[in-house]
Structures are given as C-alpha cells and as structure tokens.
Amino acid sequence: MTISQHAESTTTAFIASSDVAETAAFPGSARVELIMGMPVSVDIRTALPARELNPLLDDAFAWLRWVDDTFSPVKEDSQIGRLNRGRTLRQIPELVEVLHRCDELGEATEGYFEARIDGVTDPSGYIKGWALERLSRALSNAGAGDHRITAGNDTRVRGSAAPGVRWRVGVRDPRDGVVRKVVCAHDLGIATSGGAPVVNPRTGEIQDGLRAVTVIGPDLGLADAYATAVFAMGPMPGRRFAADLARSGPYETMIVLPDGQEVTTPGFAEHGARSRLAG
C-alpha cells in the first residue's frame, strides 16, 4: 500500500466514524496525499459522477505539487530556491503575484509578516493558505462547490458537508493536539500558527510568547499570513492587532497564551465555535 492509499483509507475511516450521517446523505470522494512534507486532504461532498470526481482530484493534487515545486524554499531548483541563489527565474505570473502580496502583507502588519529575512526569501507563511484558497475557488468553478481542503493546520471549507449542514472543523492546539474550538461554517478559511517556529522579523529571534494563533476569514491565504504575523508579534501587540483586524474587516482571531488561556475577538464565536473538547 502506498502512502497515498494508506492516508486515503485513514481519512475514509475517520469520516465513517465521525460524520456517518453526512456521508450517507451526501456522496462524494476524498483523497489524501503527502505534499509539502505533510498530509493534504481534499474531501469533495458534491454528488458528481466518478468520471468527473477522479479527474478533479487528480488536478487538485497536480496543482498542489506544482505549488510545492515552484515555491518551496528548500528545493534548490524551485523558483524560490533559484531566487535565493541568484539564478535565472522563469516568467511565472503566480510568482510575481505571491511576492507582491507578501510585500503588501508586510506593510499591513507593520513588518511582522516578512517573507524576506537576511536576504533569504521564504513565503511559507502565506503560500500554503494561498494555494488552498486558489484550489477551493477552482473546485467551485468546476462544479464541486461542497468541499473541505486541509493541509497541516490550515483548512478551507466551502458549501455543505451534507445537505444544509455546515462543515465542522476542530481547531487543534498545535502543541498537544487538543481541540480548543469547533468552527462551523459553509464558507471559511481557518489558519493556525504555532506548529512550527515563528521568527520575530524585528529581532531575528524565535517568538515564544504565545502558544498558538488561529485566524478565520474569507481568504485562507490572508488568514494564514495574519496568524503568522500575530504569533510573531507576541502577546500584547498581537492582541491589539487582532482587535484592530476584527474591527476593520471579516477576520477574527483566537490567541492561546503560554498558560493555555484563550483570548478571542468577539466575532469568533459567531462562526459556531464551541467550548474545548478532548482531542
């Protein structure tokens, strides 16, 4: 059994145990593959024939592999790897788009989101959310409007998990896996930072003043970048930025302090968040 087949069977077992009523009423297809060093799952619940679903899933993972091959900072021949080594780049519109958006996010977060540190470009704090957001839009345009895409601590849901039923996404603490909130939504991006070290660009040091940051909103790429920036800010600046972000737009934040205390912006609960569960 391949890694992909094993992951797919694991996902199917999970769905069968936790969402039996949903899958029974809303057929579709799910697949998991190892990309970007992590299991990535695409769960389509729209009732399409297999002759349409299978090519959609093939295209979905082909896109994600292309993103990894293009933007990975650790692959020497990726465009980011070539950029960091001063080598010739291909003319790729998506590369220009991502680097431009990273610059804009740096300005919007007062420099706490930074894709270039010490002369090295690394858009990892944005690219995963951006890739999943682009994929979600493509699936909707192709007729698969009911889906959940998950990569690491980032999830994009759209449509319904079953007819009229919102998706339920457990927001896990990246330190111990405990489900701290359950977010219910028909159309939302959910990004959590804290599973990997986050550097404060202003000091060049790893930020350890927070346990985790989750940002939810309509664009997963932006939510991903905001979560990274808030984590890099630390407790007090992060809380102020999260409050300002919630007042000015549709992005809500949950900050988990080192002692486990949760601080959320008022609108977070409106997305169906519930109290902590055992995970």
Side-chain angles (χ1 to χ4, degrees):
M1 178 179 288
T2 66
I3 292 176
S4 174
Q5 290 170 330
H6 174 74
E8 184 169 354
S9 66
T10 301
T11 298
T12 302
F14 171 77
I15 292 172
S17 64
S18 62
D19 294 320
V20 173
E22 294 179 3
T23 54
F26 212 177
S29 184
R31 185 185 300 178
V32 181
E33 292 189 14
L34 192 64
I35 302 176
M36 297 181 281
M38 69 188 76
V40 180
S41 68
V42 179
D43 182 357
I44 299 174
R45 297 290 176 88
T46 305
L48 296 173
R51 67 178 181 276
E52 296 182 26
L53 280 171
N54 290 333
L56 278 178
L57 289 170
D58 291 343
D59 290 346
F61 284 99
W63 158 253
L64 293 171
R65 285 190 293 271
W66 180 86
V67 170
D68 189 32
D69 290 341
T70 302
F71 292 97
S72 171
V74 299
K75 293 186 176 182
E76 292 188 7
D77 202 40
S78 75
Q79 294 306 293
I80 296 299
R82 296 176 70 86
L83 176 64
N84 287 331
R85 291 166 178 78
R87 298 167 62 186
T88 303
L89 303 179
R90 297 199 303 272
Q91 296 296 318
I92 300 177
E94 291 86 353
L95 178 63
V96 177
E97 174 191 340
V98 166
L99 295 180
H100 179 65
R101 180 53 62 90
C102 286
D103 288 341
E104 292 180 335
L105 286 164
E107 295 179 6
T109 60
E110 300 178 353
Y112 280 101
F113 178 87
E114 180 55 70
R116 298 182 181 90
I117 298 178
D118 296 331
V120 176
T121 298
D122 182 358
S124 298
Y126 173 66
I127 196 65
K128 178 155 55 74
W130 172 83
L132 268 59
E133 182 67 32
R134 289 281 295 264
L135 175 55
S136 177
R137 295 175 188 175
L139 288 174
S140 292
N141 291 337
D146 306 290
H147 57 258
R148 173 173 54 193
I149 312 168
T150 299
N153 295 316
D154 290 356
T155 299
R156 185 61 165 93
V157 297
R158 198 182 292 267
S160 300
V165 177
R166 293 183 297 172
W167 290 97
R168 299 172 67 253
V169 179
V171 179
R172 293 185 177 273
D173 188 317
R175 302 283 183 91
D176 57 18
V178 169
V179 177
R180 291 189 168 271
K181 301 288 183 184
V182 175
V183 174
C184 302
H186 287 294
D187 187 354
L188 197 67
I190 303 128
T192 298
S193 182
V198 175
V199 174
N200 180 338
R202 295 190 174 186
T203 65
E205 298 179 353
I206 293 177
Q207 176 63 261
D208 59 1
L210 296 175
R211 185 179 180 95
V213 174
T214 297
V215 175
I216 60 178
D219 186 299
L220 182 58
L222 295 183
D224 197 5
Y226 289 144
T228 300
V230 171
F231 197 104
M233 292 175 187
M236 294 310 297
R239 291 175 68 170
R240 287 194 295 269
F241 182 85
D244 290 342
L245 190 64
R247 280 193 293 267
S248 63
Y251 292 88
E252 303 290 342
T253 304
M254 178 177 71
I255 296 173
V256 183
L257 302 176
D259 63 0
Q261 178 184 356
E262 299 167 4
V263 179
T264 61
T265 54
F268 201 98
E270 296 177 4
H271 292 273
R274 304 194 309 188
S275 58
R276 181 184 302 182
L277 303 175

